[in-house]
Amino acid sequence: MVSKALGKYVQSLHQKKYRQRHGAFLVEGGKSVLELLSSDLETEHVLVTAEFASTHHKHLPDGLPLAIATEYELTQLGTLATNTTALAVARLPAEKPLPPTLPEAGLLLALDEVRDPGNLGTLLRLADWYGLPGVVLSPGCADPYSPKTVAATMGAFARVQVWERDLAEWLPTLPVGMGIFGADLEGDNVHHLKLRPAGVLVMGSESHGLTPSVEACLTRRLHIPRGAKGGAESLNVAISAAILLDNFFRNQ
Amino acid sequence: MVSKALGKYVQSLHQKKYRQRHGAFLVEGGKSVLELLSSDLETEHVLVTAEFASTHHKHLPDGLPLAIATEYELTQLGTLATNTTALAVARLPAEKPLPPTLPEAGLLLALDEVRDPGNLGTLLRLADWYGLPGVVLSPGCADPYSPKTVAATMGAFARVQVWERDLAEWLPTLPVGMGIFGADLEGDNVHHLKLRPAGVLVMGSESHGLTPSVEACLTRRLHIPRGAKGGAESLNVAISAAILLDNFFRNQ
């Protein structure tokens, strides 16, 4: 049974303004909740079905603020079409400092106005796959802690560092000589380069590409070759990022 | 003004059973409608705002069954949150024969139970980018002509051939010696292979991977290397396909 106050609190976290006010966000579904519990993030509340509690009791430590809920309650309180397992409230993590000596710190991903939460989540999952030191988001990006983004990360939300920065202000502060890469149909063919995973890879929004002030900061433009018989004009932003990252990491 | 009968017909095409009954599907949004009109597909109806008609009159040939509609009508009739430009009804294309001499025909993509229409649309867009001869779908895949899939293809629906086949029956009929590739965490590192775009690349569902009877047909298992510090267990199916296709086409 979930108290009325807790239910109201959980539902408020569907909205960004309440996530910011309370410094907390929702994690939905059994797999994501287990990822949360095995991470460094702080957990405020866990709501689980009796069945989930009995199957996963080893992962539900003593002292955890745990409530047993029905599938109906979980579905009512959350944003998923159905939730038959678990839901949690986690604290928004405190921002860690951006790696100061970036060239040694590996490759950062920077996203310029990526507004679709599904794309953002897929990109965070990709950053997790490659173990990137983190992802820098322009203020116009989707909220990395919205329920849709969190779901699309498939657990990566619990591991990937994110920072919000005005990219056109931040990129020029980086050490001279550091590679700032971006995708561009007129850029250099990535198959002919020997890229190493160091610097910053900047990806723009689907509809508008990079904003001009951000594009002006690039030191190298990269082009993903299309098939000889290819028809599509462009690729999805997460798809492009994946192909570019594989080209960076094949020489690590 | 859209007639009541046409409105009812358009709305029926939101559902697969009526798409099959009428042999037609919906194309929504100005960009997708223009892709349709410049393709080989047959167009039954085009509904556009007066503004769209005036801006794009060159692309709206005489004799086209055209109706002028308000933004409100387009939004009411379609599935998009808002549609301020255009909507069309296209005929489902007749199935062309599968390329008979596959090894010469390039690389086919085969999808095993890819149920998410967004993922399927992104995969069709990718097939278009690489100019693949087409995509073979298992019966459990999302409908390639559902409004969500069509939207996610970003126009590729008008160019990419699709076929429905029981993969476990179809794959064993292919010529001996043809490469049947699939992703597998235990497979060969793609960075160490010199793949050529010929044969079939089979991708499985996100949650369950390849079905065992399909996996048994593979002649080569491919592994995408994770970053040395990577955390994620897996990649999205369209992301994995993109990385693999870039590895096939870098040696074309």
Side-chain angles (χ1 to χ4, degrees):
Chain A
M1 181 69 194
V2 180
S3 76
K4 210 166 170 179
L6 178 56
K8 218 174 143 183
Y9 175 56
V10 166
Q11 284 182 320
S12 79
L13 300 176
H14 296 198
Q15 288 179 61
K16 184 171 184 179
K17 71 172 174 182
Y18 292 107
R19 291 196 290 276
Q20 291 183 322
R21 186 175 301 171
H22 298 301
F25 68 103
L26 273 187
V27 177
E28 301 184 78
K31 192 178 174 301
S32 293
V33 168
L34 293 175
E35 294 272 12
L36 170 67
L37 294 176
S38 69
S39 78
D40 297 334
L41 291 172
E42 194 183 332
T43 304
E44 262 183 25
H45 297 281
V46 182
L47 286 67
V48 296
T49 60
E51 194 192 338
F52 187 86
S54 112
T55 314
H56 296 283
H57 62 93
K58 279 185 192 160
H59 303 105
L60 303 170
D62 291 343
L64 198 69
L66 192 76
I68 302 294
T70 63
E71 296 183 5
Y72 178 78
E73 282 175 315
L74 291 182
T75 304
Q76 286 295 305
L77 295 177
T79 69
L80 302 177
T82 55
N83 183 345
T84 61
T85 51
L87 179 156
V89 177
R91 301 295 305 162
L92 287 174
E95 191 183 289
K96 296 192 185 166
L98 259 166
T101 53
L102 274 167
E104 286 77 53
L107 185 69
L108 277 170
L109 184 62
L111 303 179
D112 185 23
E113 315 282 298
V114 173
R115 291 205 170 80
D116 180 82
N119 279 338
L120 177 57
T122 305
L123 286 158
L124 294 175
R125 184 177 176 189
L126 199 55
D128 189 29
W129 175 266
Y130 286 105
L132 305 189
V135 181
V136 182
L137 307 175
S138 76
C141 284
D143 180 2
Y145 297 104
S146 80
K148 277 191 185 171
T149 312
V150 169
T153 69
M154 298 292 283
F157 72 92
R159 287 181 296 269
V160 175
Q161 297 283 328
V162 294
W163 299 272
E164 187 179 305
R165 290 288 184 280
D166 181 315
L167 299 184
E169 284 179 14
W170 170 65
L171 291 169
T173 68
L174 299 178
V176 174
M178 212 175 79
I180 302 176
F181 304 91
D184 187 334
L185 289 173
E186 307 294 313
D188 301 323
N189 181 335
V190 287
H191 294 167
H192 300 158
L193 301 173
K194 213 174 163 78
L195 297 166
R196 304 249 168 215
V200 183
L201 172 62
V202 194
M203 302 297 299
S205 86
E206 288 241 28
S207 4
H208 310 292
L210 292 176
T211 51
S213 55
V214 171
E215 204 185 347
C217 302
L218 299 184
T219 62
R220 184 141 216 175
R221 286 161 178 76
L222 304 175
H223 160 62
I224 298 169
R226 182 156 55 179
K229 297 176 190 163
E233 278 169 33
S234 65
L235 292 167
N236 166 290
V237 56
I239 294 285
S240 302
I243 295 174
L244 292 176
L245 286 170
D246 183 64
N247 277 277
F248 276 98
F249 278 84
R250 66 188 301 126
N251 305 311
Q252 76 179 333
Chain B
M1 182 71 192
V2 179
S3 76
K4 211 166 169 177
L6 177 57
K8 220 176 143 183
Y9 176 56
V10 167
Q11 284 183 320
S12 79
L13 300 177
H14 296 198
Q15 289 178 61
K16 185 171 182 177
K17 72 171 172 182
Y18 291 107
R19 290 195 292 274
Q20 291 182 322
R21 185 174 304 172
H22 298 300
F25 68 104
L26 272 188
V27 176
E28 301 185 79
K31 195 181 171 301
S32 293
V33 169
L34 293 175
E35 294 273 11
L36 169 67
L37 295 177
S38 68
S39 77
D40 298 334
L41 291 171
E42 193 183 333
T43 304
E44 261 185 23
H45 296 282
V46 181
L47 287 66
V48 297
T49 59
E51 194 192 335
F52 187 86
S54 114
T55 314
H56 296 282
H57 62 94
K58 279 184 192 159
H59 303 104
L60 304 171
D62 290 344
L64 198 68
L66 191 75
I68 301 295
T70 63
E71 297 183 3
Y72 177 79
E73 283 175 315
L74 292 182
T75 304
Q76 288 294 307
L77 295 177
T79 70
L80 302 177
T82 54
N83 183 347
T84 61
T85 51
L87 180 155
V89 177
R91 300 296 304 163
L92 287 174
E95 192 183 288
K96 296 192 185 167
L98 258 168
T101 51
L102 273 167
E104 286 75 55
L107 185 69
L108 277 171
L109 184 62
L111 304 179
D112 184 24
E113 314 282 298
V114 172
R115 289 202 172 80
D116 180 82
N119 280 338
L120 176 57
T122 305
L123 285 158
L124 294 176
R125 185 177 174 188
L126 199 55
D128 189 29
W129 176 265
Y130 285 105
L132 305 189
V135 181
V136 182
L137 307 174
S138 77
C141 284
D143 180 0
Y145 297 105
S146 80
K148 277 190 186 173
T149 310
V150 170
T153 69
M154 299 291 284
F157 71 92
R159 287 181 295 268
V160 176
Q161 296 283 328
V162 294
W163 299 273
E164 188 180 305
R165 289 290 183 279
D166 181 316
L167 300 184
E169 286 180 11
W170 171 65
L171 290 170
T173 67
L174 298 179
V176 174
M178 211 177 75
I180 302 175
F181 303 90
D184 187 334
L185 288 172
E186 309 293 314
D188 300 323
N189 182 335
V190 286
H191 294 167
H192 301 158
L193 301 173
K194 214 172 162 76
L195 299 166
R196 304 249 167 215
V200 184
L201 172 62
V202 195
M203 303 296 301
S205 86
E206 288 243 27
S207 2
H208 311 292
L210 292 175
T211 51
S213 55
V214 171
E215 203 185 345
C217 302
L218 299 185
T219 61
R220 183 140 217 176
R221 288 162 177 74
L222 303 175
H223 159 62
I224 298 169
R226 180 157 56 179
K229 297 176 190 164
E233 278 169 33
S234 64
L235 291 168
N236 166 290
V237 57
I239 294 284
S240 301
I243 295 174
L244 292 175
L245 286 171
D246 182 64
N247 276 276
F248 275 97
F249 278 84
R250 66 187 302 123
N251 306 312
Q252 78 180 328

